[in-house]
Amino acid sequence: MTSRLSRLAVALVATAGATLGVTVANPAPASAAMTICYNTSQAGSYAGTANQAASIWNNATVNLTLSANCGSNLRIYQITGGGSYAVRTSLGNGRVYIDTQQAAQYSPLRIMTHEIGHILGLPDNYNGNCSLLMSGGSAGTSCTNPYPSTTEANRVSSLFAGTFSATDRSADIFRDSWPSVLTPVS
Ligand SMILES: [Zn+2]
């Protein structure tokens, strides 16, 4: 009796599988979400900050997932002096450098999420608006907002859905990525 039931179960599963095989002929594009493995082995005291920044981006976007230490699409480095910056080798791949001197003045989490934003395809926008993540240091040392705006987050989701041109997805170096506050002329 048991074996008859087992054979019946196998037959039902096989039938269901065959039916599914027909219905998933055109899988949804969302199934191609990219996993970005970030490596914090050289992030020094900013490894935890990188994890926080990854959570912020994961919560704000779709089509990509930042995951810790499963590979090295993105390497994060702690440096001293020279300014924080990002090197994007392609969309979702590259290196982020966090300058300890800048991180002592500005919010380290805002710097981290900003620089990762470059890896995710965003350019700088130095308009001084603290509600934007990509305004970076232009918003001043008092701005600690680490969250991308809806517009910024949606652009990243769209980039990873493949709806922008190759130029938008290309490699780039964001050297002077975190400018200091402009000194008022007295
Ligand atoms: Zn920047």
Side-chain angles (χ1 to χ4, degrees):
M1 189 62 181
T2 304
S3 65
R4 275 189 65 194
L5 279 174
S6 296
R7 281 199 298 276
L8 180 60
V10 167
L12 285 172
V13 167
T15 304
T19 305
L20 276 173
V22 173
T23 53
V24 296
N26 294 302
S31 65
M34 179 178 178
T35 297
I36 300 168
C37 294
Y38 63 96
N39 186 307
T40 57
S41 63
Q42 293 166 93
S45 58
Y46 302 116
T49 309
N51 293 334
Q52 287 179 272
S55 292
I56 287 172
W57 278 115
N58 286 341
N59 289 334
T61 58
V62 294
N63 303 326
L64 66 147
T65 302
L66 287 144
S67 187
N69 299 318
C70 56
S72 52
N73 297 98
L74 168 58
R75 288 187 178 278
I76 296 168
Y77 298 85
Q78 174 179 313
I79 59 172
T80 299
S84 302
Y85 64 102
V87 177
R88 185 176 70 217
T89 51
S90 66
L91 188 67
N93 292 282
R95 302 182 295 278
V96 159
Y97 299 85
I98 305 297
D99 177 1
T100 57
Q101 293 176 349
Q102 276 187 330
Q105 290 182 285
Y106 296 85
S107 160
L109 183 55
R110 179 169 160 84
I111 296 176
M112 184 71 76
T113 48
H114 173 100
E115 299 302 343
I116 291 176
H118 287 311
I119 303 299
L120 303 182
L122 296 179
D124 281 312
N125 178 3
Y126 299 142
N127 66 359
N129 184 348
C130 185
S131 67
L132 296 182
L133 184 59
M134 301 316 288
S135 65
S138 72
T141 54
S142 63
C143 175
T144 60
N145 171 34
Y147 300 103
S149 69
T150 301
T151 300
E152 290 172 323
N154 287 349
R155 180 170 174 83
V156 169
S157 296
S158 296
L159 282 167
F160 280 82
T163 54
F164 280 84
S165 70
T167 303
D168 291 310
R169 300 163 59 89
S170 67
D172 211 344
I173 300 174
F174 300 87
R175 269 286 170 192
D176 298 311
S177 176
W178 194 270
S180 301
V181 187
L182 295 174
T183 307
V185 178
S186 56

